[in-house]
Amino acid sequence: MPPSSTPTRRFPSGFRQVAWSVATGVAVLGVGTAATLGVAAATTHPHTSVPPVPPAPAAPVVPPVSDRFLQADVYHAEAVARRQGARVAIAVLDRDTGQRVESRNAHAPFFTASLVKVMIAEDVLTQRDQGKVHLSSSDMHMMHLMITRSDDFAADSFWDLGGGNAIVTRAAARYGLHDTHPPRGPWWFTTTSADDMVSLYDQIVTRRSTDPAVANWIVSAMRDFQPTGDDGENQTFGLPTALSREPVVGYKQGWMPLLDGNWIHDSTAIVGKSARYIVAIMASQPAPNGEDPTVSSIDDVAKALFPRGRIGAAAPVRAPATAPVRAPAHG
């Protein structure tokens, strides 16, 4: 960090792709999507061996969180975002009860940027197990860096190896992801939603539509979360900050400056005993004064969603002003 009276944040992993887009074809963002879709770049950490996630036990039975109560927290988190000028999409799933609560624009499209690396890893590993591609031990280490430290050069390599856009098409079909579509351009322009990210993680954890060995590898990589990304960025924003009292199974974070002056910050997590909960928050906010205020915004949104540091903990009584308001059809 250069000497300064004010800390300076580095550009995140994936910024080189945005610069590439400017140099080779801004038309990708010139079709009316830049103002409504977000570009995120996730980051992550080094290889460790982690045991598979055990299936959710039949006992003890934990009383379900009230739909009404948790939904109220989602609305409160949305209100916090609006006050700070951020646009957010939220989805929360309780795997034990099947309860899913979401913001009004949980199906709104956001660019995935590095979040698509989960789909890349899942598809390439599936192709390996089908005998369609060969992966060396060096390749596997490189793939781990792609997930845990958001290595963009690794993503480039596996994107080409796996067949490019066909990776997203296959993943969306395999997992029934209705809001997920291949990019019109490089892999980081893949689009998805908070709802689809929760559905993807749910099926990976429960091994539905996923080979168990592939699912175990992905969850193990997500479990190996580190507070600092490969590019030096602090990636503890959002859910890692808010869920201090939940046992963590895995995180996948994302951030990216957009060409229209916005910053994207995405925070996704598998948390709770036996991976009970899956959470996705996607946020976009203008950043005329740099990234820091947008980081504070997603921190505040996550803390509003989980005000006691865990899912379903009692929250303070909400003021009427936090009642939901009708949102635009596309968030």
Side-chain angles (χ1 to χ4, degrees), residues 299-322:
D299 284 347
D300 290 346
V301 167
K303 290 175 182 177
L305 189 62
F306 305 117
R308 294 293 183 265
R310 55 186 290 267
I311 296 176
V317 176
R318 306 299 186 201
T322 63

Side-chain angles (χ1 to χ4, degrees), residues 123-329:
D123 189 77
V124 172
L125 289 171
T126 297
Q127 290 192 66
R128 177 203 62 180
D129 292 351
Q130 294 171 347
K132 297 178 180 178
V133 301
H134 172 73
L135 299 176
S136 66
S137 58
S138 176
D139 291 331
M140 292 304 299
H141 176 68
M142 190 174 172
M143 184 175 289
H144 193 268
L145 294 178
M146 180 183 72
I147 295 295
T148 63
R149 300 189 67 86
S150 198
D151 188 315
D152 292 332
F153 294 99
D156 291 342
S157 176
F158 290 118
W159 180 257
D160 292 340
L161 178 66
N165 283 16
I167 292 173
V168 177
T169 300
R170 286 189 294 263
R174 194 154 45 237
Y175 293 97
L177 307 178
H178 303 296
D179 306 322
T180 300
H181 304 284
R184 287 184 291 176
W187 52 260
W188 52 91
F189 289 126
T190 297
T191 55
T192 193
S193 67
D195 179 86
D196 270 7
M197 289 307 299
V198 165
S199 294
L200 174 64
Y201 290 177
D202 175 40
Q203 293 179 71
I204 288 175
V205 169
T206 58
R207 298 162 181 82
R208 297 195 309 273
S209 308
T210 312
D211 180 272
V214 173
N216 291 342
W217 188 94
I218 292 173
V219 174
S220 294
M222 289 181 63
R223 190 195 304 261
D224 189 26
F225 176 81
Q226 293 185 0
T228 304
D230 187 57
D231 64 344
E233 183 86 0
N234 183 342
Q235 61 168 350
T236 61
F237 60 83
L239 295 173
T241 294
L243 290 172
S244 58
R245 296 175 58 196
E246 287 284 1
V248 176
V249 175
Y251 289 122
K252 193 73 174 77
Q253 302 285 82
W255 60 91
M256 177 61 72
L258 303 185
L259 297 179
D260 62 3
N262 286 349
W263 267 85
I264 286 289
H265 284 89
D266 294 340
S267 187
T268 63
I270 304 170
V271 296
K273 185 177 180 181
S274 300
R276 177 174 178 175
Y277 301 104
I278 299 175
V279 187
I281 302 175
M282 296 183 168
S284 175
Q285 183 177 355
N289 298 315
E291 178 192 7
D292 288 349
T294 66
V295 173
S296 296
S297 291
I298 194 170
D299 284 347
D300 290 346
V301 167
K303 290 175 182 177
L305 189 62
F306 305 117
R308 294 293 183 265
R310 55 186 290 267
I311 296 176
V317 176
R318 306 299 186 201
T322 63
V325 297
R326 184 173 298 278

